[in-house]
Amino acid sequence: MIFEPRYRVLFNTLMDGMPDIEEGLVQKESPYAGTKQFGMCYVDGNSGKMATVGTLLQIQAHSFEADGRILVVNKGSERFRVTKVVKERPVLICEVEVLPEEEDSSQEAKALAEQVADLFRNVLRLFRKVKRRQQQQQQGSSAAAAAAAAAGVADAEDDDSLEELSELAELTDKPTQLSYWIASVLGEHRLTQQVLLEEDSTLGRLQKEAEVLGETMRFYSAATALESVFSSGGEGGAQPPAGGPD
């Protein structure tokens, strides 16, 4: 979501030629006018330090909110490494080198990709199971609990129609693309995403994702088991610890 004046100028300039932009903010003389692409690097919220490896993003679509903010939809296309900071104000401009990327279609990569895909499916299903039980407890009454349980059965039967799983099914035979897709859904874990982005090999990236998803699955499996124990023994249920996977 874009709202700062300097970024409104930047993005209207980048989107020059697209419909419904603020023409008065477009810097026609800019070498970046109409390129519809920009770089993004992770910045540590505590230290303010910027990572040297980032992503080149292509602007896919945009819309203007009633309060003047711009909602921009982007798609990552390439990784790069910052080699030199050219200018810091009003917006950061850097010299970069594009990092080479090769599709890994080896049998080892495909086998690991399938393992990671299975882990993701299991994590997603366990996550939904835990959430359903929490909703059931919050609703309180027996009738509401029964309705929630019935809805849970229907949800479980419909798991494979989830948008996430539909996208996943299309990538299981494309290890490199799958490795980046898995990284993209970890939006709440920026440091983990950055570690994955800086990994040069598909195998290395998939191995790290298998570790992350394996730990998350063990957490949700334990949470589910504890919910069952406490539910059978009385009211209340186990709650995940603060800072656990979400």
Side-chain angles (χ1 to χ4, degrees), residues 31-53:
Y32 310 109
T35 58
K36 303 176 183 63
Q37 61 182 18
F38 63 100
M40 180 171 286
C41 293
Y42 171 77
V43 177
D44 184 276
N46 295 319
S47 67
K49 292 183 178 180
M50 182 184 75
T52 57
V53 175

Side-chain angles (χ1 to χ4, degrees), residues 11-31:
F11 277 87
N12 276 283
T13 298
L14 295 176
M15 297 187 295
D16 186 27
M18 296 180 74
D20 303 323
I21 63 171
E22 297 173 289
E23 293 288 351
L25 296 181
V26 176
Q27 296 180 321
K28 295 287 187 180
E29 72 283 0
S30 170

